Amino acid sequence: GQQVMQIPQYQHVQEGEDFTTYCNSSTTLSNIQWYKQRPGGHPVFLIQLVKSGEVKKQKRLTFQFGEAKKNSSLHITATQTTDVGTYFCAGRGTNAGKSTFGDGTTLTVKP
Amino acid sequence: GAVVSQHPSWVICKSGTSVKIECRSLDFQATTMFWYRQFPKQSLMLMATSNEGSKATYEQGVEKDKFLINHASLTLSTLTVTSAHPEDSSFYICSALLNRVDEQYFGPGTRLTVT
């Protein structure tokens, strides 16, 4: 079945440093979504990427979808303490209506 | 917009009893809802896809007779954990698919503890 792998599992950064998490699927995706989950909270939808090579920005966050639609990345510029949490990618296969979540990358930011 | 609620937010039950969790899309209709389970510090594991007016589709390894799903209306799906055991203790999260933009919106989750 479809597998979605996310790296790294954990990332500790100093406030102001950049952060990137990578998501790789074993199969081609129809779309990929990114979520953020704060400790003790529930996943919150951040963005969806659909097109091959698509790049979207939300303030300090930059999302990319690979040309082959099998990988994606989330990059945060100049991290802030409010960025802490676990970032999940979820890839939706081309033949299924469900999404498979990666294991998440937990970001901690040292002030 | 696109708010999903879950009830209860937490529940403690005795082993052998059944617990029902509700998932509601408050400001949109959702023909498809998903039920996930999340263990501490782990990812979300899809349990089943709930389709309004039809039987749920369960993921491999999920017992359909133990986790009963009913999606009787476009705004409500329920998950009933039958004959609960301590190993069923977990965080259960639902999501509703906002069809027109193909986005999932998650509920706040239900923390189930079986004693």
Side-chain angles (χ1 to χ4, degrees), chain A residues 27-38:
Chain A
T27 60
T28 302
L29 302 170
S30 61
N31 65 49
I32 194 159
Q33 300 169 338
W34 286 91
Y35 298 83
K36 177 183 179 181
Q37 185 174 23
R38 293 180 181 274

Side-chain angles (χ1 to χ4, degrees), chain A residues 9-10 30-31 33 35 37 40-45 48 88 90 92 97-99 101-104, chain B residues 32 34 36 38 41-44 46 49 59 91 93 97 101-109 111:
Chain A
Q9 187 176 2
Y10 298 97
S30 61
N31 65 49
Q33 300 169 338
Y35 298 83
Q37 185 174 23
H42 64 279
V44 174
F45 175 84
Q48 177 174 271
F88 292 99
R92 185 166 168 180
K98 61 184 179 183
S99 293
F101 278 76
D103 288 337
Chain B
T32 304
F34 302 95
Y36 295 86
Q38 187 177 37
K41 297 184 179 181
Q42 292 189 24
S43 187
L44 288 82
L46 179 65
T49 302
E59 294 302 301
F91 192 48
I93 307 176
L97 189 65
V101 291
D102 201 24
E103 295 173 359
Q104 287 187 66
Y105 288 87
F106 284 81
R111 176 78 57 193

Side-chain angles (χ1 to χ4, degrees), chain B residues 18-68:
Chain B
S18 295
V19 174
K20 180 185 282 189
I21 303 170
E22 293 185 347
C23 178
R24 291 182 186 273
S25 54
L26 298 184
D27 50 2
F28 65 101
Q29 293 183 331
T31 54
T32 304
M33 292 185 176
F34 302 95
W35 286 97
Y36 295 86
R37 183 172 179 177
Q38 187 177 37
F39 292 100
K41 297 184 179 181
Q42 292 189 24
S43 187
L44 288 82
M45 183 195 78
L46 179 65
M47 298 175 65
T49 302
S50 171
N51 299 297
E52 188 267 336
S54 64
K55 291 182 179 181
T57 305
Y58 289 82
E59 294 302 301
Q60 193 172 7
V62 179
E63 298 176 58
K64 60 180 67 176
D65 293 330
K66 181 167 183 63
F67 297 100
L68 300 178

Side-chain angles (χ1 to χ4, degrees), chain B residues 70-112:
Chain B
N70 184 278
H71 194 157
S73 78
L74 288 172
T75 59
L76 173 65
S77 176
T78 60
L79 168 68
T80 301
V81 183
T82 62
S83 187
H85 292 283
E87 56 265 32
D88 297 325
S89 300
S90 191
F91 192 48
Y92 292 88
I93 307 176
C94 73
S95 71
L97 189 65
L98 184 55
N99 290 335
R100 59 181 173 82
V101 291
D102 201 24
E103 295 173 359
Q104 287 187 66
Y105 288 87
F106 284 81
T110 297
R111 176 78 57 193
L112 170 64

Side-chain angles (χ1 to χ4, degrees), chain A:
Chain A
Q2 179 183 310
Q3 291 184 326
V4 175
M5 293 144 286
Q6 213 174 329
I7 56 169
Q9 187 176 2
Y10 298 97
Q11 186 76 59
H12 311 284
V13 300
Q14 192 78 33
E15 188 173 22
E17 292 181 339
D18 292 355
F19 158 76
T20 305
T21 173
Y22 300 90
C23 186
N24 295 290
S25 169
S26 59
T27 60
T28 302
L29 302 170
S30 61
N31 65 49
I32 194 159
Q33 300 169 338
W34 286 91
Y35 298 83
K36 177 183 179 181
Q37 185 174 23
R38 293 180 181 274
H42 64 279
V44 174
F45 175 84
L46 293 177
I47 208 159
Q48 177 174 271
L49 303 172
V50 179
K51 298 177 182 177
S52 170
E54 189 170 15
V55 178
K56 287 188 177 180
K57 291 190 176 184
Q58 289 180 351
K59 297 183 180 178
R60 295 177 295 105
L61 278 62
T62 302
F63 304 85
Q64 290 188 315
F65 200 10
E67 294 290 340
K69 299 183 73 173
K70 295 180 72 173
N71 56 72
S72 180
S73 65
L74 158 59
H75 179 81
I76 302 178
T77 304
T79 55
Q80 299 175 358
T81 55
T82 53
D83 294 327
V84 297
T86 300
Y87 293 84
F88 292 99
C89 63
R92 185 166 168 180
T94 53
N95 296 320
K98 61 184 179 183
S99 293
T100 301
F101 278 76
D103 288 337
T105 296
T106 299
L107 171 67
T108 54
V109 179
K110 191 174 182 181

